[in-house]
Amino acid sequence: MSDEEREEIREEDVIKILVTTDNHLGYLEKDSIRGEDSFITFEECLQHAQENNVDMILLGGDLFHVANPSQNSMNRCLKILRNYVLGDKPIDLEFRSDQNVNFWDALNRTVNYEDPNMNISIPVFSIHGNHDDPSGFGRLSCMDILASTGLLNYFGKCLNLEKVVVSPLMIAKGATKLALLGLSHIHDTRLVRLFESGNVTFEKALNDEEWFNLLVLHQNHADRGRKKFIPEEALPRFLDLIIWGHEHDSHINPEQNLKMKFFVSQPGSTVATSLSEGESLPKHCGVLKIYKKQFDMTSIKLQRVRPFVFGNLNMDDHEAELNEPRTKLEDQIFKLISRRIEEMIKAAKKQLSGDPKQPTLPLIRLRVQYSQENHCFNPNIFHVHFFERVANPNDVVVLNRQISRIKSECKVDETAFSDAFDRERQNENYQVSDVVNRYFSTVENAQNLEVQSIKCLGEVCRHLIREDEDAAEKLVNFHVQMAIGHLEEKLPDVDQVEEALEEFGAKSGEVFDKAVKMLDEAGMSTTVSTAQDAPASASFVSDDDEAQESTSSRASSTTRGRGRGGKRGRGAKALEVTVRNQRSSKKQPTIQESLSQASSRQTRATRSNRKIVYDSGSD
């Protein structure tokens, strides 16, 4: 807003809102050092609300760190809210929508400042996040308890996960009319599916041109994979501003989506709940001022946040320093990393604001990357050395091994691929796998697949079209484990690994194509399934009760799940292509055995856990 417009705006027509998200009250509350951090920063946010004389406070979810907070966390929260939201200050907000609809699950089905039994000076409005969502008996949340006390207005709750309807809270102050919409956390995959099926409805206020449409939601904002985040383009165009919770990186200054025309603000968390690089960014809350269809967001840097410095160190960049002949390598590594941590502790002192309530013991996280085995070390040696100097002495250093990868450019001839598609489409019963096979088989300049077979790639496409999201991962993991088995069998030198993989590339195609061809000739159906409790392994297993199982602990491929709160990564699943056929009492030789006839019986016996077995269904 220009200076001239600011002069014309009356204070009586401006709605001022203190915005904060992801406060995570109770995080590490039993930690003697960090147990108070979440409460300190939350109280600072409410203090800013009082100092800026705001009309209301808006919370974007994850007020608590767990859905069933401890007595200590709930008591601390109640005390803070009572100190800042109760009082005799008059409230100029006029509530115009049906409160029976907006607060259908509340005790009195009314906004708290209109409750004659409450004396509210700053009303608080909040949705729930994934950490404090309704669960257990009665589908109650800790937010319901706060709403029952009258200290908070809980909205945006949806228990019907078949059809989601988001109704606005219509609030007016003078000439400004605010339509506040809330969408509490719903599992991202489910919510994406609801969006795609048209089962998410955002209701608009009457005469919506006069209303400022503000949405607060708590979902994945960053792209974490297909159907694992909510794209901004999925939200309605009539919105003016979105307050996005759940993401802890602070990007509170609104950014416009040029396609949808609305603005998006991501306040971030007020306390670091993980020692990641994004959490080391400065923490903020904000004061949002709304006048008719205009708005202004003033970011406020929190002064009571514990200092946090995140750093990276690549051991390969210090080769000369680690090759001193007169000193042991272990001592050189310890000296290098200790010096870097000292520098980070010194940098953390610059984050001290001088506020007497700010914790002074810093959080330090150094990510050490290495590629050579002799550069690996035990991070525990630094725990005692920096005890009482940092707030997290047990995990100051984290190791990250770098795996060298062969870089190659793979370009698809789009014209040739379209031609292959047009040719296959002439057949009414064509499949995507046929298009892929035609492209790699007939196009002269098509780049060959070095490890995967064309048949495997076709199977991936076929399952993806059937919305089997894990098909690519399962089939790729299957070939990766076969490649590992091949390398373990050959045991090539480092400079011969690439040659061994090229040799495997040809064999893997033969294995996959031969197996699928045999299944097709026998009239058997193949299904890709996951074994939730099995280690990551790949095997063709018959449906017989006495079928052999293939397991390989060395070939396991596990990955850490993305996002917060994930209990186990999808890489812990096992790939099983189950062959369903009549039971047979006689087993045929394994495909793996036919490919490694040169191996001794002893070698096959010791590597039997990697066998790929099949049942041909015949004697």
Side-chain angles (χ1 to χ4, degrees), residues 329-341:
L329 180 60
E330 294 81 359
D331 296 337
Q332 297 171 10
I333 293 175
F334 182 83
K335 180 181 178 181
L336 171 65
I337 295 178
S338 296
R339 184 173 69 249
R340 182 60 185 274
I341 295 176

PDB file of all heavy atoms in Angstrom, residues 329-341:
ATOM      1  N   LEU A 329      45.938 -40.524  11.066  1.00  0.00           N
ATOM      2  CA  LEU A 329      44.762 -40.040  10.349  1.00  0.00           C
ATOM      3  C   LEU A 329      43.623 -39.740  11.311  1.00  0.00           C
ATOM      4  O   LEU A 329      42.903 -38.747  11.138  1.00  0.00           O
ATOM      5  CB  LEU A 329      44.316 -41.079   9.309  1.00  0.00           C
ATOM      6  CG  LEU A 329      43.095 -40.704   8.466  1.00  0.00           C
ATOM      7  CD1 LEU A 329      43.360 -39.433   7.672  1.00  0.00           C
ATOM      8  CD2 LEU A 329      42.713 -41.853   7.531  1.00  0.00           C
ATOM      9  N   GLU A 330      43.451 -40.560  12.347  1.00  0.00           N
ATOM     10  CA  GLU A 330      42.378 -40.325  13.310  1.00  0.00           C
ATOM     11  C   GLU A 330      42.542 -38.984  14.007  1.00  0.00           C
ATOM     12  O   GLU A 330      41.565 -38.244  14.206  1.00  0.00           O
ATOM     13  CB  GLU A 330      42.336 -41.452  14.349  1.00  0.00           C
ATOM     14  CG  GLU A 330      41.945 -42.814  13.791  1.00  0.00           C
ATOM     15  CD  GLU A 330      43.107 -43.519  13.139  1.00  0.00           C
ATOM     16  OE1 GLU A 330      44.223 -42.934  13.107  1.00  0.00           O
ATOM     17  OE2 GLU A 330      42.907 -44.649  12.646  1.00  0.00           O
ATOM     18  N   ASP A 331      43.772 -38.659  14.353  1.00  0.00           N
ATOM     19  CA  ASP A 331      44.032 -37.377  15.016  1.00  0.00           C
ATOM     20  C   ASP A 331      43.804 -36.209  14.057  1.00  0.00           C
ATOM     21  O   ASP A 331      43.307 -35.145  14.471  1.00  0.00           O
ATOM     22  CB  ASP A 331      45.467 -37.340  15.546  1.00  0.00           C
ATOM     23  CG  ASP A 331      45.704 -38.387  16.620  1.00  0.00           C
ATOM     24  OD1 ASP A 331      44.713 -38.819  17.251  1.00  0.00           O
ATOM     25  OD2 ASP A 331      46.871 -38.779  16.816  1.00  0.00           O
ATOM     26  N   GLN A 332      44.162 -36.397  12.800  1.00  0.00           N
ATOM     27  CA  GLN A 332      43.943 -35.333  11.825  1.00  0.00           C
ATOM     28  C   GLN A 332      42.448 -35.062  11.626  1.00  0.00           C
ATOM     29  O   GLN A 332      42.017 -33.906  11.532  1.00  0.00           O
ATOM     30  CB  GLN A 332      44.595 -35.715  10.492  1.00  0.00           C
ATOM     31  CG  GLN A 332      46.107 -35.859  10.556  1.00  0.00           C
ATOM     32  CD  GLN A 332      46.683 -36.444   9.279  1.00  0.00           C
ATOM     33  OE1 GLN A 332      45.979 -36.581   8.278  1.00  0.00           O
ATOM     34  NE2 GLN A 332      47.966 -36.798   9.317  1.00  0.00           N
ATOM     35  N   ILE A 333      41.644 -36.143  11.557  1.00  0.00           N
ATOM     36  CA  ILE A 333      40.190 -35.993  11.391  1.00  0.00           C
ATOM     37  C   ILE A 333      39.596 -35.290  12.601  1.00  0.00           C
ATOM     38  O   ILE A 333      38.768 -34.377  12.472  1.00  0.00           O
ATOM     39  CB  ILE A 333      39.535 -37.369  11.164  1.00  0.00           C
ATOM     40  CG1 ILE A 333      39.965 -37.946   9.816  1.00  0.00           C
ATOM     41  CG2 ILE A 333      38.018 -37.261  11.242  1.00  0.00           C
ATOM     42  CD1 ILE A 333      39.466 -39.348   9.554  1.00  0.00           C
ATOM     43  N   PHE A 334      40.010 -35.707  13.780  1.00  0.00           N
ATOM     44  CA  PHE A 334      39.485 -35.098  14.999  1.00  0.00           C
ATOM     45  C   PHE A 334      39.833 -33.603  15.053  1.00  0.00           C
ATOM     46  O   PHE A 334      38.986 -32.771  15.417  1.00  0.00           O
ATOM     47  CB  PHE A 334      40.060 -35.810  16.225  1.00  0.00           C
ATOM     48  CG  PHE A 334      39.549 -35.283  17.530  1.00  0.00           C
ATOM     49  CD1 PHE A 334      38.328 -35.701  18.051  1.00  0.00           C
ATOM     50  CD2 PHE A 334      40.276 -34.335  18.253  1.00  0.00           C
ATOM     51  CE1 PHE A 334      37.859 -35.203  19.247  1.00  0.00           C
ATOM     52  CE2 PHE A 334      39.811 -33.832  19.446  1.00  0.00           C
ATOM     53  CZ  PHE A 334      38.589 -34.274  19.949  1.00  0.00           C
ATOM     54  N   LYS A 335      41.029 -33.273  14.671  1.00  0.00           N
ATOM     55  CA  LYS A 335      41.452 -31.879  14.694  1.00  0.00           C
ATOM     56  C   LYS A 335      40.671 -31.044  13.691  1.00  0.00           C
ATOM     57  O   LYS A 335      40.226 -29.926  13.988  1.00  0.00           O
ATOM     58  CB  LYS A 335      42.957 -31.809  14.381  1.00  0.00           C
ATOM     59  CG  LYS A 335      43.526 -30.399  14.377  1.00  0.00           C
ATOM     60  CD  LYS A 335      45.013 -30.425  14.041  1.00  0.00           C
ATOM     61  CE  LYS A 335      45.587 -29.006  13.994  1.00  0.00           C
ATOM     62  NZ  LYS A 335      47.048 -29.030  13.652  1.00  0.00           N
ATOM     63  N   LEU A 336      40.446 -31.597  12.479  1.00  0.00           N
ATOM     64  CA  LEU A 336      39.721 -30.878  11.435  1.00  0.00           C
ATOM     65  C   LEU A 336      38.284 -30.594  11.854  1.00  0.00           C
ATOM     66  O   LEU A 336      37.808 -29.457  11.758  1.00  0.00           O
ATOM     67  CB  LEU A 336      39.742 -31.702  10.142  1.00  0.00           C
ATOM     68  CG  LEU A 336      38.856 -31.202   9.000  1.00  0.00           C
ATOM     69  CD1 LEU A 336      39.332 -29.843   8.501  1.00  0.00           C
ATOM     70  CD2 LEU A 336      38.843 -32.220   7.852  1.00  0.00           C
ATOM     71  N   ILE A 337      37.595 -31.622  12.344  1.00  0.00           N
ATOM     72  CA  ILE A 337      36.177 -31.454  12.682  1.00  0.00           C
ATOM     73  C   ILE A 337      36.020 -30.600  13.931  1.00  0.00           C
ATOM     74  O   ILE A 337      35.102 -29.774  14.020  1.00  0.00           O
ATOM     75  CB  ILE A 337      35.518 -32.841  12.848  1.00  0.00           C
ATOM     76  CG1 ILE A 337      35.540 -33.564  11.501  1.00  0.00           C
ATOM     77  CG2 ILE A 337      34.095 -32.720  13.382  1.00  0.00           C
ATOM     78  CD1 ILE A 337      34.967 -34.954  11.530  1.00  0.00           C
ATOM     79  N   SER A 338      36.893 -30.766  14.908  1.00  0.00           N
ATOM     80  CA  SER A 338      36.816 -29.952  16.130  1.00  0.00           C
ATOM     81  C   SER A 338      36.989 -28.475  15.805  1.00  0.00           C
ATOM     82  O   SER A 338      36.281 -27.624  16.355  1.00  0.00           O
ATOM     83  CB  SER A 338      37.887 -30.394  17.125  1.00  0.00           C
ATOM     84  OG  SER A 338      37.662 -31.721  17.540  1.00  0.00           O
ATOM     85  N   ARG A 339      37.917 -28.168  14.894  1.00  0.00           N
ATOM     86  CA  ARG A 339      38.125 -26.775  14.513  1.00  0.00           C
ATOM     87  C   ARG A 339      36.880 -26.203  13.844  1.00  0.00           C
ATOM     88  O   ARG A 339      36.489 -25.051  14.101  1.00  0.00           O
ATOM     89  CB  ARG A 339      39.331 -26.665  13.576  1.00  0.00           C
ATOM     90  CG  ARG A 339      39.661 -25.219  13.212  1.00  0.00           C
ATOM     91  CD  ARG A 339      40.948 -25.100  12.419  1.00  0.00           C
ATOM     92  NE  ARG A 339      40.813 -25.665  11.093  1.00  0.00           N
ATOM     93  CZ  ARG A 339      41.425 -26.775  10.698  1.00  0.00           C
ATOM     94  NH1 ARG A 339      42.217 -27.440  11.534  1.00  0.00           N
ATOM     95  NH2 ARG A 339      41.258 -27.231   9.475  1.00  0.00           N
ATOM     96  N   ARG A 340      36.223 -27.016  12.998  1.00  0.00           N
ATOM     97  CA  ARG A 340      35.011 -26.540  12.317  1.00  0.00           C
ATOM     98  C   ARG A 340      33.876 -26.312  13.325  1.00  0.00           C
ATOM     99  O   ARG A 340      33.134 -25.328  13.228  1.00  0.00           O
ATOM    100  CB  ARG A 340      34.585 -27.548  11.258  1.00  0.00           C
ATOM    101  CG  ARG A 340      33.357 -27.096  10.470  1.00  0.00           C
ATOM    102  CD  ARG A 340      33.622 -25.783   9.737  1.00  0.00           C
ATOM    103  NE  ARG A 340      32.428 -25.287   9.085  1.00  0.00           N
ATOM    104  CZ  ARG A 340      32.032 -25.658   7.866  1.00  0.00           C
ATOM    105  NH1 ARG A 340      32.761 -26.531   7.189  1.00  0.00           N
ATOM    106  NH2 ARG A 340      30.947 -25.173   7.337  1.00  0.00           N
ATOM    107  N   ILE A 341      33.732 -27.190  14.293  1.00  0.00           N
ATOM    108  CA  ILE A 341      32.678 -27.020  15.302  1.00  0.00           C
ATOM    109  C   ILE A 341      32.943 -25.775  16.144  1.00  0.00           C
ATOM    110  O   ILE A 341      32.009 -25.037  16.498  1.00  0.00           O
ATOM    111  CB  ILE A 341      32.573 -28.284  16.184  1.00  0.00           C
ATOM    112  CG1 ILE A 341      32.118 -29.471  15.343  1.00  0.00           C
ATOM    113  CG2 ILE A 341      31.595 -28.055  17.331  1.00  0.00           C
ATOM    114  CD1 ILE A 341      32.069 -30.780  16.117  1.00  0.00           C
TER     115      ILE A 341
END
